[in-house]
Amino acid sequence: MSILFSLQPKQWLGRIVSARLVSLLALLTTAMHFEVLSTPALAIPAAASVDTKIKVPNTMSYSPFNISRYLKVPPNFSISVYARIAGARFMAVAPNGNLLVSQPNAGKVLIVRANGNKDPIISNFVTGLRRPHDIVFHTINNTTYLYISETNQINRFIYKYGDITAQNRQIVVARLPDSSTSELKGAYGHELKNIALDTNHKLYVSIASTCNACLADTVSNPRRAAIYQYNADGSNPRLFAQGLRNAEGLALVPGTNDLWVAVNNRDNIVYPFKDATNNYGKVIPSYVDNHPPEEFTRVRDGGNYGWPFCNPNPDTSNGFNFMPFDRDYQFNANARVNCNAMDKIVKGIQAHSAPLGLTFLQNTNFPSLYSNGVVVGLHGSWNRQQKTGYKVAYFPWDSTRKLPGNQIDLVSGWGTQQVWGRPVDMVVDQQGNLLISDDYSGTIYKLSYTPPR
């Protein structure tokens, strides 16, 4: 204080203001530092850690629920069997809360209606379809449409609130390639179609590859292993992106027109490196186990994501993030395709996990701890010595960078050695429960949250 008193009044006042500013800046810097370090940690919720017995109504307790079954879920969650539907695949929640479920092998879409404390009422919503798969509600100028994909076409129906059967069918996209296409002679490995619609009323259709890896799909018309864009009425078709072997999950980040997909990558990859292992050009099971990763990535207009010429490599310092590409031994050993020109995959998933459904949780009633994130159904592996997948994966969402964080398990335990279930798709109902379809056991599960006291 003696120093301050020896100063002139203006100097004295300036020194106080300066000291206050320094203190304030230090406080702000500390707060900003805390925010930068703490926000990501706070944004990552608890992973699956509690072995939880599945609640099963007596009327649904047939195989595999003829014995007690358990799934691992995060703390404060429970899981139950909501409905039994053979071959249940993709789902959508109607504006009135009813659930629609596709049954590709039965050629149907079913409607599931809540029935108080009793089993839900299940009936046919539309029948006679060619392997229907994806289901999307979309509103244009106060008219709500229901889009349903078949292997050979995309339909839309005019939906009125409370409809329990499909009405006013329109075929908006016809003559899509499937196993009936003459040039394919009945062989189409991934003929089921997935779809999405954005806020500009653009329709995206995934036309997956016919094969594990081949050149024919890269020169076909329409291009396969690709995504096409149409107007919502099916007009103005154009190639949107390519090099995506089998994009099963298509979804827009809520509040944006950013298209993301979950991609099943190739199997039985040949070892591509001329190194001391002397494995070049061979199929090595230990290499196949982890290569190439499945893909969870943003898709841009005009993008090319590498298949079948370039494969993402998870064995660098990047890990599963924006992986560099390796040249495919079978189709690009001579580097005729420049892998450096391909669009990098944003996020990899363990090879052979078979990601299917992709659901963003923002703007839903799912618990707020998890609602800034995205879930992916991992259907499970066949081309791996140690099975993997058989879980619902969760990725926290970085809203600033518009990127997914590191994967955690949300629900797991359908089995990796003795498999009794295979998750496909996820939707959030109006009460905030996560409904999960399982086409292997023929089940719709309900994952429910109870806040701690």
Side-chain angles (χ1 to χ4, degrees), residues 291-347:
H291 300 86
E294 313 287 37
E295 300 170 351
F296 173 31
T297 197
R298 183 193 295 117
V299 180
R300 70 172 182 88
D301 193 350
N304 189 328
Y305 297 84
W307 181 94
F309 306 105
C310 308
N311 301 299
N313 180 354
D315 302 326
T316 71
S317 58
N318 286 2
F320 281 137
N321 300 304
F322 295 98
M323 299 166 283
F325 286 102
D326 297 327
R327 298 196 304 269
D328 189 88
Y329 170 84
Q330 291 174 272
F331 300 105
N332 198 27
N334 61 359
R336 69 182 184 88
V337 174
N338 180 10
C339 289
N340 291 328
M342 299 295 108
D343 291 76
K344 287 188 176 179
I345 305 304
V346 173
K347 180 72 71 173

Side-chain angles (χ1 to χ4, degrees), residues 48-96:
S49 60
V50 182
D51 283 318
T52 303
K53 185 177 180 180
I54 302 171
K55 301 173 186 176
V56 185
N58 291 335
T59 53
M60 304 183 200
S61 59
Y62 49 91
S63 182
F65 304 106
N66 51 334
I67 62 173
S68 295
R69 295 290 183 181
Y70 292 80
L71 289 171
K72 191 168 286 188
V73 301
N76 305 310
F77 280 89
S78 61
I79 192 159
S80 60
V81 171
Y82 176 60
R84 300 299 303 273
I85 295 175
R89 291 286 285 187
F90 276 73
M91 301 181 291
V93 176
N96 71 335

